[in-house]
Amino acid sequence: MTTKGKSGRKKNSVIVVAGEGEYDRQVLRHLIRALHPDAKIVNVKRKTVLTHADKQLSPRVDELRRLAQAASVTSELAGIVVHVDLDVVDEAQYVKVRERISSEFRKAFTCPSALALAAFETEAWLMQFPAAFSKVNHSWILKAKYKGCDLAKIDKPKERLREHPWNPPYSESDAPLIMENALSQDGQLMQPDGRNRSYQEFVTELAAW
């Protein structure tokens, strides 16, 4: 996708990714590529924390807007994708936080936005794809109790993964590779084994661009 700037020259469009950690941003990049395979993706490298911002939310989103513009200074900003760990399993709290942050995005950005409000953590998204764990390491078999369940209700999923007697044990640095292995050879997303509202809403939002 290209657009023309004031000079009449074509400008490439980019999707900017921001979030709390590098591994989370890498996970999102794989999801973006699955849904928008031709997109050019750039990162905001500075850590972005929005969940508990409260009165600081507006200035933090405004700062994010400036960082996104700086990251795409030579290109057209086609979309902004932001990762946030919710760190709670309460659905009412999830709805409240999601609407609060999404509302600020709508005010701050003229381009589309997609909020990856991972409930509880990114690991709860990954656990929807047990086959992807086994692709990374054949001994990584996810406990049966997690298959087919509502993974948004799993408290501290990162710790739950580390409870598995795996060798080597799960590390958050494994997250991007697991997400990459949740894609088929043609780059399509696997069908989730289980569910997570935050994942589904993010994918739906991103796919609608």
Side-chain angles (χ1 to χ4, degrees):
M1 177 180 175
T2 58
T3 57
K4 287 187 177 180
K6 292 181 180 179
S7 65
R9 295 179 180 177
K10 289 185 177 180
K11 296 177 68 177
N12 292 323
S13 60
V14 299
I15 295 174
V16 171
V17 180
E20 297 187 17
E22 174 60 24
Y23 300 132
D24 298 310
R25 292 193 294 269
Q26 289 180 31
V27 167
L28 295 186
R29 289 173 74 97
H30 288 305
L31 288 168
I32 294 168
R33 292 202 184 285
L35 296 169
H36 300 286
D38 297 326
K40 181 181 178 182
I41 306 168
V42 296
N43 280 347
V44 170
K45 295 184 179 180
R46 187 182 301 179
K47 182 178 181 180
T48 302
V49 181
L50 302 178
T51 312
H52 305 296
D54 296 326
K55 293 181 180 179
Q56 291 298 311
L57 181 59
S58 291
R60 288 189 188 183
V61 171
D62 194 48
E63 174 64 11
L64 176 60
R65 178 182 57 78
R66 289 192 290 269
L67 291 170
Q69 289 174 338
S72 60
V73 66
T74 61
S75 305
E76 182 77 15
L77 182 58
I80 177 81
V81 174
V82 185
H83 167 269
V84 179
D85 275 337
L86 184 59
D87 294 343
V88 299
V89 295
D90 182 79
E91 187 167 355
Q93 181 72 358
Y94 166 79
V95 173
K96 179 181 177 181
V97 173
R98 181 175 180 82
E99 178 51 37
R100 183 166 59 91
I101 296 177
S102 296
S103 177
E104 290 294 332
F105 285 174
R106 288 192 292 270
K107 289 188 288 185
F109 295 100
T110 56
C111 65
S113 62
L115 174 60
L117 183 60
F120 184 100
E121 297 165 326
T122 300
E123 280 72 14
W125 287 18
L126 300 177
M127 290 166 73
Q128 297 177 105
F129 307 102
F133 282 83
S134 298
K135 284 185 179 181
V136 173
N137 189 308
H138 71 276
S139 67
W140 286 6
I141 307 299
L142 203 63
K143 291 180 179 179
K145 68 179 181 180
Y146 296 125
K147 295 181 180 180
C149 73
D150 185 353
L151 292 156
K153 295 181 179 178
I154 302 296
D155 185 60
K156 299 180 180 178
K158 192 177 300 180
E159 293 184 17
R160 303 292 80 78
L161 287 176
R162 289 171 177 163
E163 290 173 351
H164 288 71
W166 293 342
N167 185 21
Y170 170 80
S171 168
E172 61 184 318
S173 63
D174 297 312
L177 186 56
I178 292 169
M179 190 70 253
E180 183 179 7
N181 278 277
L183 307 179
S184 62
Q185 288 186 342
D186 61 358
Q188 298 298 306
L189 283 166
M190 287 183 180
Q191 185 67 28
D193 183 349
R195 61 191 185 280
N196 186 308
R197 176 177 177 174
S198 63
Y199 169 83
Q200 189 57 57
E201 291 189 344
F202 170 73
V203 169
T204 299
E205 196 168 46
L206 184 61
W209 289 8

